[in-house]
Amino acid sequence: MEVFVRGYQDSDGDGIGDLRGLTRRLDYLKALGVSGLWLMPITASADHDHGYATTDFRSIEPQYGTLADFDELIREAHKRGIGIVMDYVINHASWQFPPFQAALKDRSSPWRSWFVWNPDPGPGWDIWGKLPWYDAATQPWNWAGEWKDLPPFKPGSPDIYFGTFGPHMPDFNLRNPVVVQYHEDSLRFWLNRGLDGYRLDAVPHMIENSAKDWNDQPESRALTKHFQDLIKSYPGRYVVCEATAEPIAYGAPEVCGGAFAFNQNYELMKAARGDAAAVQRVADYYRSMSPTMATFLHNHDIFTGQRVWDQLHGDEARYRLAAASYLLLPGTPFAYYGEEIGQAGIDAKADEPLRAPMSWTPANHGPGGFTTSPQPFRPLALNRSRHNAETQQREPGSLFNFYRELIALRRASNALTLGRYEADHVDGQVWSFQRVHGAERVLVAINYGDTPAALDLPAHARALFPKAGAAPQARAALPPLSVQVYRLSDR
């Protein structure tokens, strides 16, 4: 599960989630069946929210707690069989990062070579509609408008620096071996404390060669592999990368060894809405997908989509189909916090609709809610009266219990956890496939349509879900908007 610590659980009444609060909720996560947590940035940052503008790569964001709180979280998570990976930002730092400040104050400083400078970078630069070069002399990090509307620099200034994601986050010069060593040491710092791995942020942007060749350069892939090898030199560690343009390439063992299946998330949601062409595209994707890919419906970035509740306009039947479409298939599924209870987004700008406080109780304040403060750091989800963890755990037919049952089904089956994807077939809005591991063979059928369908079953198929233990049958009736799982004869 991906967790935004700021939005998960406040332990001290300041309206901001923290590490102690997350530790307090580990039993809930264990009950759901979660076996791993990805924490969005918990290191000290300049923005104290988004977290990707890092100011100290080896300390905890003060609003989240201390290193002792981190160590306690790791210990308690491991007691419950839950591993923890954290975001690590390699490409850039905050403009408030002390080495960048030192580089600004003294052009002859050894820190200068830690960043990318060019008094005249030349024409043609455009990264997502903006010029990625900034003149530090104008203090562009103070610009209050959109980055794309920032007045362009005047060529010739000695303090023009590169920032892929904006002037507030200068890029590291990762051609400098001293910078690479700094990141190596920082990665080891957390691994030595028991961290189980990393989500490496924005790895295709580590090296830019020109205005044309700035994304996914060979040097970036080589560096990604280098960092993967370092992390996995520690036994039992996990690595997953953010690489939006070429996720499959980065998921390969020779690059990152794991990557989020960007773009597939859009198709999963279209399929859940009954788009027959999307159902076929999803089926085709899984046929060629590496098992190292990380699948998801959306994450903390709004470009991946609104919360599932909002994308499906509260249609819980289709919500269940979306969940089944990645929880029963190859890859490592990542749920986003609140997804399992149908939490809605909030009315806010940019990425904030996705990053509201977790809905723990109907009121979401007091001892059982997100915070005891009358003023949480961000507004609460408006659908929390029913879609909260307390109510959802209590209702047998809730989304929470649907997620819990599917996760338990997956974890109890080697075929569903590790198995190959075989014998897939799409007939309009009905998709069936098999997962196979050794002698175990499981068949899954999903009907995305509004009308009933039928499915011929192999001999001796026994139902596993939604009602386990039924006698073998030769033909399955698939109700509208339903998922069914069968164990086939071992062979």
Side-chain angles (χ1 to χ4, degrees), residues 420-449:
R420 301 184 305 278
Y421 170 80
E422 292 185 356
D424 63 295
H425 178 71
V426 175
D427 183 6
Q429 294 173 304
V430 177
W431 175 30
S432 64
F433 56 88
Q434 294 181 21
R435 301 290 309 282
V436 183
H437 183 79
E440 184 185 3
R441 186 174 289 266
V442 173
L443 182 147
V444 178
I446 305 176
N447 181 4
Y448 296 96

Side-chain angles (χ1 to χ4, degrees), residues 19-31:
L19 294 176
R20 289 186 179 184
L22 175 56
T23 301
R24 187 176 120 196
R25 294 297 187 178
L26 289 173
D27 286 337
Y28 166 83
L29 292 163
K30 181 181 178 181

Side-chain angles (χ1 to χ4, degrees), residues 316-452:
E316 292 196 25
R318 294 194 178 277
Y319 202 123
R320 286 168 167 77
L321 301 186
S325 301
Y326 82 114
L327 291 177
L328 298 176
L329 280 128
T332 301
F334 278 73
Y336 189 57
Y337 80 99
E339 178 188 322
E340 77 282 6
I341 59 172
Q343 182 169 328
I346 62 170
D347 184 11
K349 63 181 181 178
D351 299 316
E352 292 181 2
L354 303 171
R355 305 183 194 182
M358 173 71 175
S359 296
W360 290 109
T361 67
N364 219 359
H365 61 76
F370 168 71
T371 182
T372 57
S373 169
Q375 189 64 46
F377 77 98
R378 192 161 287 150
L380 307 174
L382 293 179
N383 72 339
R384 65 186 182 277
S385 60
R386 178 169 175 264
H387 290 273
N388 64 81
E390 180 180 86
T391 302
Q392 289 278 310
Q393 287 179 90
R394 192 169 57 241
E395 294 182 357
S398 68
L399 281 172
F400 173 90
N401 282 304
F402 181 83
Y403 269 76
R404 183 185 57 78
E405 290 171 23
L406 284 195
I407 292 169
L409 183 65
R410 179 187 180 95
R411 294 185 66 179
S413 165
N414 286 331
L416 290 175
T417 306
L418 303 170
R420 301 184 305 278
Y421 170 80
E422 292 185 356
D424 63 295
H425 178 71
V426 175
D427 183 6
Q429 294 173 304
V430 177
W431 175 30
S432 64
F433 56 88
Q434 294 181 21
R435 301 290 309 282
V436 183
H437 183 79
E440 184 185 3
R441 186 174 289 266
V442 173
L443 182 147
V444 178
I446 305 176
N447 181 4
Y448 296 96
D450 291 317
T451 57

Side-chain angles (χ1 to χ4, degrees), residues 163-481:
T164 300
F165 295 95
H168 61 312
M169 295 193 292
D171 275 38
F172 282 110
N173 174 18
L174 283 156
R175 300 184 195 274
N176 183 344
V178 176
V179 176
V180 173
Q181 182 179 345
Y182 172 78
H183 283 305
E184 292 170 350
D185 292 344
S186 297
L187 291 167
R188 290 190 186 98
F189 175 86
W190 299 103
L191 292 168
N192 290 339
R193 302 188 86 94
L195 186 72
D196 298 287
Y198 289 96
R199 181 262 197 186
L200 299 179
D201 180 65
V203 289
H205 304 297
M206 289 190 286
I207 298 290
E208 292 80 21
N209 287 315
S210 68
K212 177 184 176 184
D213 301 314
W214 58 268
N215 191 6
D216 187 22
Q217 298 301 289
E219 298 92 332
S220 292
R221 293 192 180 193
L223 273 172
T224 301
K225 172 60 172 170
H226 174 78
F227 290 124
Q228 182 205 164
D229 289 346
L230 182 156
I231 296 163
K232 289 187 175 178
S233 69
Y234 287 72
R237 288 342 196 247
Y238 173 70
V239 186
V240 63
C241 283
E242 180 197 36
T244 55
E246 296 290 342
I248 293 175
Y250 277 80
E254 60 269 22
V255 184
C256 184
F260 287 98
F262 286 104
N263 300 316
Q264 172 71 346
N265 57 302
Y266 304 133
E267 300 301 333
L268 287 168
M269 295 306 300
K270 291 176 185 175
R273 289 191 287 266
D275 183 330
V279 174
Q280 184 66 65
R281 289 192 293 270
V282 167
D284 292 344
Y285 184 91
Y286 279 109
R287 192 179 303 134
S288 59
M289 188 190 85
S290 164
T292 62
M293 298 301 287
T295 54
F296 64 105
L297 298 180
H298 77 88
N299 65 19
H300 60 279
D301 285 320
I302 197 66
F303 76 81
T304 65
Q306 297 174 305
R307 280 192 173 268
V308 179
W309 180 266
D310 300 309
Q311 291 191 56
L312 297 177
H313 307 290
D315 188 327
E316 292 196 25
R318 294 194 178 277
Y319 202 123
R320 286 168 167 77
L321 301 186
S325 301
Y326 82 114
L327 291 177
L328 298 176
L329 280 128
T332 301
F334 278 73
Y336 189 57
Y337 80 99
E339 178 188 322
E340 77 282 6
I341 59 172
Q343 182 169 328
I346 62 170
D347 184 11
K349 63 181 181 178
D351 299 316
E352 292 181 2
L354 303 171
R355 305 183 194 182
M358 173 71 175
S359 296
W360 290 109
T361 67
N364 219 359
H365 61 76
F370 168 71
T371 182
T372 57
S373 169
Q375 189 64 46
F377 77 98
R378 192 161 287 150
L380 307 174
L382 293 179
N383 72 339
R384 65 186 182 277
S385 60
R386 178 169 175 264
H387 290 273
N388 64 81
E390 180 180 86
T391 302
Q392 289 278 310
Q393 287 179 90
R394 192 169 57 241
E395 294 182 357
S398 68
L399 281 172
F400 173 90
N401 282 304
F402 181 83
Y403 269 76
R404 183 185 57 78
E405 290 171 23
L406 284 195
I407 292 169
L409 183 65
R410 179 187 180 95
R411 294 185 66 179
S413 165
N414 286 331
L416 290 175
T417 306
L418 303 170
R420 301 184 305 278
Y421 170 80
E422 292 185 356
D424 63 295
H425 178 71
V426 175
D427 183 6
Q429 294 173 304
V430 177
W431 175 30
S432 64
F433 56 88
Q434 294 181 21
R435 301 290 309 282
V436 183
H437 183 79
E440 184 185 3
R441 186 174 289 266
V442 173
L443 182 147
V444 178
I446 305 176
N447 181 4
Y448 296 96
D450 291 317
T451 57
L455 180 71
D456 291 327
L457 296 175
H460 308 299
R462 285 187 174 273
L464 293 177
F465 181 87
K467 293 181 179 180
Q473 50 188 305
R475 192 167 176 80
L478 299 177
L481 307 179

